[in-house]
Amino acid sequence: MNARTDLPPALAAEPPALDAIRALDGEMVDIRHQIHQNPELGFEEVATSDLVAERLARWGYEVHRGLGRTGVVGTLKVGNGTKRLGIRADMDALPVQETNGRPWASKVLGKMHACGHDGHTTMLLGAARHLAATRNFDGTLHLIFQPAEEGLGGARVMIEDGFFDKFPCDAVFALHNMPGLEAGKLGFITGPAMASSDSAVITVTGNGGHGAMPQMSVDPVVAASAIVMSLQTIVSRNVPPLDTAIVTVGAFHAGTTFNVIPEKAELKLTIRALRPQVRDQLQQRITEVAQAQAAVYGASAEVAYDRRYPVLVNDAEATDFARRVALDWVGEAGVMPNLAPLTGSEDFAFFLEKCKGSYLLLGNGTGQGIGEGGCMVHNPNYDFNDRVLGTGASYWVRLAEAFLV
Ligand SMILES: [Zn+2]
Ligand SMILES: [Zn+2]
C-alpha cells in the first residue's frame, strides 16, 4: 500500500491493481504530480516528452522522438514473436486556469491538466516500467505518447509523419479516465463509441442596400435565416431516426445598423455524428440545403466545411479481447455494463481508422471531494484520481501480456 501523506486515506474498496504495480504507486504519483504541475499545451509538450523519453530509455526501451513534433514512441521487443501491439497515451494540457489549491496544482498561469492526460501518460509509464522489468511477453510493444489531443489532432499528425510505416501494429488501444464512473471500473463500447466533430462556416452573399428599399437589394440576413431553419430538418427528416446526429448553429453574424441591408451573413456550425455514413450525409445535406436556400432568395452560399475528428469506431474483435482481459483480471464487478456511446470526440479515432483496436474508459470516481475524482474533465477544479493510476497501469500490463503471446 501507499504510505504517501498527500493521498487521501484508503477507501473501503480500493480500485484494483496488481501487487507489483501497487509497489510503483509512489513513483507514479510523483510522476503524475510533476506533469500536473508543469502542464504544456498541444505540440508544446517539450518537458513532458523529455520526461517520458528519459524514463523509457532508462528502462531499456528504444526511444523514437519527433513524430507529431513532440511525440515519443518507446519500443520493446521480447522473444521471436511476430505480433505487434500499440498502446497510446496523450500528453497535452488545456488553456484552463486551475482553481483548486492542491499541493500539486499547476504552476503555469492559464494552463492545466484538466482532462487527465497527465494520468494517462503516467499509467502508461507505470506499465512500461513493469513490462520492461518482467519481459513476460513475446513480440513487439510500441508505447505511443501522443501530443496535442485537444483539438489539434496530434494523432493525425503522428500518422501523417509515418507512424504506422515506422511502427506497424496489429492492434492499438488507448483509454480515457471518466469522472462520474466508479473509480477503477473499466468500460468498453463496441462499434461507434465517440462522435465525429466537424465544423462549417457558411457565408451567404447577397447585395447590400438601403433598408427602406429592400426591392433594390438581395438580403443575406433573410436568406441565412431560412438556412438556419432548413438545417434543422436534416436531423429530423434526412438522418435515420435511430442514428445520432447534431447540427448546431453556434454563431450568426450579419449587419451593422438599423437601416442597411448588409452584403453578407455568416453562420458557424458544429456537426456531430456517430456513424461515418451519417457524417458524410450531414456534410452533403448541409452544403445542399445552404446553397439551395440561398438561391431561393437570389443570394449565394459558400460552405467551408472542415472535417476535424472522425467517428471513433471500436473494432468488435479487439473490443471483445480488451473486455475479456478485464473480466479475466477483475471479473464482472470491475467492468461497467452497457455503456452508451459518447457525443464527445477523441483523436484516437485517427489511429482506429488505420488499425483495428479499441478505446476504453476508466472510471475516475464519483465523489466531489479531493481525491474522489467526480469533477468533470475540462472543469477548472478537475483532477485525475491518483487511486486509479495502479488500475490503468495494471490493465495495460495484462493487455500487453495477453496480446503478445
Ligand atoms: Zn479533453
Ligand atoms: Zn482528454
Side-chain angles (χ1 to χ4, degrees), residues 36-110:
H36 190 87
Q37 284 185 313
N38 300 285
E40 296 172 300
L41 302 182
F43 295 124
E44 296 171 1
E45 305 91 336
V46 176
T48 310
S49 63
D50 280 349
L51 181 153
V52 167
E54 188 274 320
R55 297 291 173 129
L56 291 173
R58 194 197 298 178
W59 300 327
Y61 286 78
E62 196 180 301
V63 176
H64 185 288
R65 303 189 67 172
L67 282 184
R69 294 184 239 173
T70 47
V72 183
V73 182
T75 298
L76 187 65
K77 194 169 170 7
V78 173
N80 299 314
T82 55
K83 284 175 110 179
R84 302 149 310 176
L85 170 68
I87 307 177
R88 170 275 213 175
D90 37 16
M91 300 188 290
D92 56 320
L94 282 159
V96 172
Q97 176 62 43
E98 188 157 6
T99 55
N100 69 75
R102 298 177 188 103
W104 56 89
S106 170
K107 292 197 278 196
V108 185
L109 201 66

Side-chain angles (χ1 to χ4, degrees), residues 188-201:
F188 304 88
I189 301 167
T190 301
M194 296 188 76
S196 59
S197 174
D198 297 327
S199 61
V201 178

Side-chain angles (χ1 to χ4, degrees), residues 90 92 94 114-117 120 149-150 176-177 346 359 377-378:
D90 37 16
D92 56 320
L94 282 159
C115 205
H117 300 181
H120 302 166
E149 192 285 322
E150 298 285 359
H176 208 290
N177 76 93
E346 159 63 50
Y359 189 68
V377 291
H378 292 209

